[in-house]
Amino acid sequence: MGNLPAALTTFVGRHRELAEVRRGLGTTRLLTLTGAGGIGKTRLALEAAAASAPDFADGVWLVDLAPVTDPSSTANALATALGVPDPGTRTVIDQLTDFLAHRAPLVVLDNCEHLIDACAELAHTLLSASPGLRILATSRRTLGIPGERVFIVPPLAPDDALELLRDLVTAVRPEFRITDGNRTQVRQLCDGLDRLPFAIKLTASRLRTLTVDEALNRLEDRFRLLTTGSRVHRPHQRTLRALIDWSHELCTPAERLLWDRLSVFAGDFGLDAAEDVCAGDGIDRDEVLDLLDRLVVQSIVLPTEHEGRPRYRLLETIRQYGRERLAESGEEEELLRRHRDFFLALAERLADRWCGPGQQEGLVRLRAEHANLRAALDCGGDPQAVLELAAALRFHWCVGGFLGEGRRQFDRVLAAAPEPTPARARALWAAAWVALLQGDLAAAHRWLDEAGELGERLDDPVVRAYVQSLRGSHAYFGGQLEEAVSWLESAVAAHTALDEEGGTVFTLFLLTAAHTASKDPRAVETGRQAVALAEAHGDRWGRAQALWALGHAVWARGDDEEAMTLARLSLEAQRGFNEYLGAAVALELLAWSTASGGDHERAGRLLGAVRALFRDIGASLETFGPYRSEQHARCEEAVVRALGPAAYENALAEGGSHRSPDEAIAYALRTEPAAAVPAPAPAPAPCPLTSREREVAALVAEGMSNQQIASALGRSPRTVHTHVENILAKLGFASRARIASWWTANQAPTP
């Protein structure tokens, strides 16, 4: 579990430093690696984090802060990296605090120096609130908060520097060798580079065509310009600047131009973005890939990937250098406009194709581009284009887990562009959707009123149709069922007349929910229409919503088995979307129908999963109308009555131990075997459990929750959860009750 990137090159040397950092992670909760730029802080941190991953059941997570320019966005960057849902109903700090309070991950905060105060405040707040959290930071400056331990990363050892140079040069020049004849010059070259890994990497690319002596002489000339002949007092940063100047000069004009233009990207980027943004005025589109490859060979551009998709990135030092050159060239404003226009076109293309295949892939792409999307939204010059972009990103905000970010952006861009334009009308109804999902009915009502007026004034039937859909949703959330049905029926007709399949599916599943709550006998038929239309167009997300809406309708008429089947189908369709709200609603349906069918223990566990998902997004069922909260209360009363308060709390705790929608979905879809205890085998098989797992099994049989077992054994609840999952897997069981029955039948002794 985690998001550490795969290493693309061998980690050379640093054995002592790596061991010391790993020891530090075991004894302190905040360890900061400091040192000059290019000295290898990030690589050492990533190696140490990867080696320590088995010690962190909640994963190891990298937060790259280099693209973050606004200190107030530091917490957002951490939340995005961790996959913390951002409903925007509370501050991001509060959301992070609650999310991490019951988890124990290792977080790598990389490149803190330009956000040092924000990082210090964030680390102090989270470490105080989350006893299991550990932070490994990299920064040219220390955070300076209580409990911080500092490790100063030294230059490479002389032999390690030689080994790194040899490995890098042989990758581009296989015949290269370090021999007795050139060892002294190679050592002088590495020493002249202050044994900085990044400097060695840049220089190694030049040894494809230069001899060691030629490289050494050219660098000596460059250093003299910066230090007036005194190499003794040359700071590491001057070494790096001189080397980057030299690397830039040695590039061809087209390579330099691409380097400078790539600096407009925040974080990493794809080939299509580089081609679209950087081509023209000196670079042909079909040249970009070749130029990128040449910059990769020179270690200017780094290849990387995001969720299996190939990407590229510039180290921050390289990016800043290119941005300076771009500003000097007078091209910066034009390149920023191209950058914004590319991501506007991408967002509009994905939104237009939403009702069809590729939804999950589209959301993955937008998540990969999140830093670039924020940069594009910050681009000045054309407020109407920014409004268009904010509206086009509506599925990124509402389905992709960025409600809070979407709300902040809409508040800002709507205030900046008050003119009554078509772009504003679209942004208003998209903003209202965000506000509705946040439970802010007042803001949604205000924005829908203005969007409705603009839709009429501009004679825009699409805007009018979506305003009707969202007015119906607003009425449903407010408990005004008759009004909701009226609006939604009108909206279905409007979307259908426009051949707006996505809007029709969206409105039909909302109408199904409203029909069900108002006991309208048309609910099941409406739900089936929604499912059929979604399936006809390959709308996987819409199908998942329509399935749970139909499931509610059939459950309300007393068909528990069909409701359970529909809930499972909805959950299966939601795998990979990471949408907390949709998963919670489908799990709630599964809990209701399971309780109605008599399996109250499993229903309690499912309610625990629902509670955890709502807790992580800081929401509750009350946000989505009185009908759901009333049904939830009835289900809960039935489960407590059947199990008793203590057993119900244990079931809630077990069901709530999953850290993401996908984990909760996998847990819910696991097959439940019959509750009967298998007959004992003629000859008992050896116990497959470890001694620790047998201890945990014995305590499960006593009725303890994971939290209670953790306290008894002196372990974290997450570790106990992992043991319980291992026990279930090894024994082929799907519930704690089966573990207890097995333990009672076998009485496996605890060593």
Side-chain angles (χ1 to χ4, degrees):
M1 188 180 297
N3 68 341
L4 292 186
L8 300 179
T9 57
T10 304
F11 185 67
V12 174
R14 300 281 200 199
H15 302 298
R16 183 191 62 80
E17 293 95 329
L18 183 59
E20 191 165 341
V21 171
R22 290 199 63 193
R23 280 195 300 272
L25 289 174
T27 58
T28 188
R29 298 183 57 216
L30 172 60
L31 178 62
T32 302
L33 308 188
T34 67
I39 208 158
K41 300 183 294 295
T42 296
R43 186 61 191 273
L44 177 58
L46 292 178
E47 287 295 322
S52 303
D55 300 330
F56 295 92
D58 283 314
V60 179
W61 303 88
L62 171 65
V63 186
D64 182 9
L65 295 173
V68 179
T69 57
D70 182 358
S72 66
S73 298
T74 305
N76 300 73
L78 174 56
T80 300
L82 287 172
V84 177
D86 178 19
T89 52
R90 297 179 296 162
T91 67
V92 179
I93 289 288
D94 287 344
Q95 195 75 17
L96 279 167
T97 297
D98 286 352
F99 186 84
L100 291 170
H102 51 282
R103 291 176 169 89
L106 170 63
V107 169
V108 181
L109 291 179
D110 191 30
N111 294 302
C112 298
E113 51 274 343
H114 62 301
L115 304 165
I116 198 69
D117 292 336
C119 287
E121 182 179 354
L122 178 65
H124 184 267
T125 300
L126 296 181
L127 289 169
S128 300
S130 175
L133 173 66
R134 274 175 165 68
I135 295 176
L136 177 60
T138 73
S139 177
R140 296 178 196 175
R141 301 162 56 193
T142 63
L143 272 60
I145 62 175
E148 180 184 27
R149 177 174 170 182
V150 177
F151 179 80
I152 301 174
V153 179
L156 286 170
D159 289 343
D160 291 343
L162 262 65
E163 182 182 353
L164 177 62
L165 183 70
R166 182 199 63 207
D167 289 354
L168 293 170
V169 177
T170 53
V172 296
R173 183 178 161 189
E175 71 277 9
F176 179 79
R177 297 289 184 275
I178 297 178
T179 65
D180 291 341
N182 68 3
R183 186 178 303 276
T184 298
Q185 292 91 333
V186 171
R187 190 175 296 277
Q188 287 176 347
L189 179 61
C190 291
D191 289 343
L193 297 169
D194 296 337
R195 302 197 301 278
L196 298 175
F198 180 52
I200 291 172
K201 188 173 184 179
L202 284 179
T203 303
S205 68
R206 295 302 168 193
L207 293 178
R208 288 177 303 151
T209 54
L210 297 177
T211 67
V212 174
D213 281 336
E214 287 171 335
L216 186 59
N217 290 334
R218 292 193 182 203
L219 284 174
E220 287 289 349
D221 291 341
R222 173 67 59 184
F223 293 145
R224 285 192 196 98
L225 294 175
L226 289 175
T227 61
T228 63
S230 173
R231 295 189 59 254
V232 176
H233 299 101
R234 186 181 72 241
H236 289 315
Q237 284 309 109
R238 288 192 175 183
T239 299
L240 208 54
R241 178 71 185 201
L243 195 57
I244 295 172
D245 278 337
W246 183 51
S247 296
H248 195 266
E249 289 175 10
L250 289 178
C251 289
T252 66
E255 290 168 354
R256 287 197 294 271
L257 195 56
L258 182 60
W259 175 349
D260 299 346
R261 291 176 177 178
L262 290 173
S263 68
V264 298
F265 290 105
D268 50 29
F269 53 89
L271 173 61
D272 58 342
E275 290 176 332
D276 207 74
V277 174
C278 300
D281 301 323
I283 299 177
D284 291 336
R285 187 182 183 89
D286 56 9
E287 286 184 293
V288 172
L289 177 58
D290 180 58
L291 291 171
L292 264 177
D293 285 342
R294 283 149 58 180
L295 291 176
V296 168
V297 170
Q298 297 171 62
S299 298
I300 303 302
V301 173
L302 302 179
T304 184
E305 66 174 38
H306 180 90
E307 298 192 34
R309 301 174 69 96
R311 311 274 291 173
Y312 300 91
R313 64 186 291 260
L314 302 178
L315 286 178
E316 187 60 14
T317 305
I318 294 291
R319 192 193 70 80
Q320 290 176 356
Y321 183 93
R323 193 62 172 267
E324 291 173 13
R325 297 288 184 170
L326 186 66
E328 291 169 2
S329 73
E331 280 196 330
E332 185 177 30
E333 185 176 339
E334 169 65 15
L335 265 291
L336 289 172
R337 184 195 61 76
R338 288 191 209 171
H339 178 274
R340 182 204 62 214
D341 289 350
F342 172 81
F343 288 105
L344 171 58
L346 173 68
E348 288 182 329
R349 186 165 63 249
L350 294 176
D352 291 344
R353 298 175 182 174
W354 176 256
C355 186
Q359 292 172 334
Q360 184 180 345
E361 294 77 8
L363 291 176
V364 168
R365 175 67 188 271
L366 292 177
R367 278 199 298 273
E369 303 291 3
H370 189 69
N372 281 306
L373 294 172
R374 295 186 71 182
L377 286 163
D378 287 338
C379 180
D382 187 352
Q384 296 301 313
V386 176
L387 276 178
E388 294 278 14
L389 177 56
L393 290 171
R394 57 190 176 273
F395 296 107
H396 182 56
W397 310 135
C398 295
V399 183
F402 294 96
L403 275 178
E405 176 77 15
R407 177 62 183 272
R408 290 186 291 273
Q409 293 291 352
F410 277 123
D411 285 341
R412 183 178 64 84
V413 301
L414 286 169
E419 298 81 10
T421 61
R424 182 173 178 84
R426 287 187 287 273
L428 282 165
W429 72 253
W433 185 20
V434 169
L436 281 171
L437 293 178
Q438 291 181 312
D440 189 348
L441 299 188
H445 187 274
R446 184 174 68 254
W447 280 331
L448 286 172
D449 277 351
E450 186 182 349
E453 292 172 5
L454 271 181
E456 293 295 338
R457 186 192 307 181
L458 299 169
D459 193 23
D460 190 327
V462 174
V463 169
R464 290 200 299 264
Y466 276 103
V467 168
Q468 290 175 336
S469 295
L470 293 168
R471 283 196 189 281
S473 183
H474 184 282
Y476 174 71
F477 287 178
Q480 300 166 311
L481 298 179
E482 186 176 343
E483 182 181 345
V485 169
S486 176
W487 278 116
L488 292 168
E489 287 178 344
S490 298
V492 168
H495 285 295
T496 303
L498 293 166
D499 291 326
E500 272 270 333
E501 294 88 357
T504 307
V505 172
F506 176 76
T507 309
L508 278 172
F509 81 71
L510 291 172
L511 180 58
T512 304
H515 276 162
T516 302
S518 59
K519 298 182 173 56
D520 190 315
R522 297 174 293 173
V524 171
E525 180 56 33
T526 304
R528 286 178 177 155
Q529 289 177 25
V531 172
L533 186 60
E535 289 178 345
H537 291 282
D539 180 356
R540 182 176 151 200
W541 180 80
R543 176 175 176 269
Q545 313 313 307
L547 284 165
W548 65 248
L550 176 59
H552 281 136
V554 301
W555 174 78
R557 73 178 187 184
D559 193 339
D560 300 330
E561 286 298 323
E562 186 178 357
M564 281 191 274
T565 299
L566 291 166
R568 291 190 185 101
L569 288 171
S570 175
L571 289 168
E572 188 66 51
Q574 293 188 58
R575 287 183 187 268
F577 277 105
N578 197 43
E579 192 201 352
Y580 282 71
L581 179 57
V585 173
L587 285 165
E588 180 86 20
L589 169 62
L590 188 56
W592 295 353
S593 52
T594 299
S596 298
D599 191 346
H600 293 96
E601 182 186 352
R602 178 164 171 76
R605 295 195 299 272
L606 291 168
L607 289 175
V610 172
R611 184 175 72 171
L613 292 175
F614 274 119
R615 177 198 63 211
D616 283 346
I617 60 174
S620 67
L621 276 172
E622 287 79 6
T623 304
F624 307 103
Y627 173 76
R628 293 192 184 284
S629 56
E630 289 167 6
Q631 298 303 324
H632 175 88
R634 288 177 186 155
C635 178
E636 189 171 48
E637 288 170 7
V639 174
V640 172
R641 195 163 50 244
L643 299 182
Y648 175 56
E649 287 299 324
N650 287 340
L652 284 176
E654 179 180 345
S657 60
H658 309 288
R659 72 170 308 277
S660 69
D662 274 356
E663 280 192 16
I665 289 170
Y667 175 76
L669 294 178
R670 187 165 53 201
T671 302
E672 279 286 329
V677 179
C687 178
L689 307 183
T690 66
S691 59
R692 177 63 74 188
E693 289 166 352
R694 290 196 294 272
E695 285 183 271
V696 172
L699 297 176
V700 169
E702 293 178 13
M704 287 190 180
S705 68
N706 285 357
Q707 183 68 52
Q708 292 168 327
I709 295 171
S711 298
L713 298 180
R715 295 291 187 270
S716 73
R718 185 68 190 178
T719 299
V720 172
H721 170 70
T722 301
H723 285 314
V724 172
E725 291 295 303
N726 289 340
I727 293 167
L728 291 170
K730 288 181 178 180
L731 299 180
F733 297 160
S735 73
R736 298 169 77 93
R738 294 296 309 279
I739 296 174
S741 299
W742 173 85
W743 182 264
T744 302
N746 290 275
Q747 287 295 304
T750 302

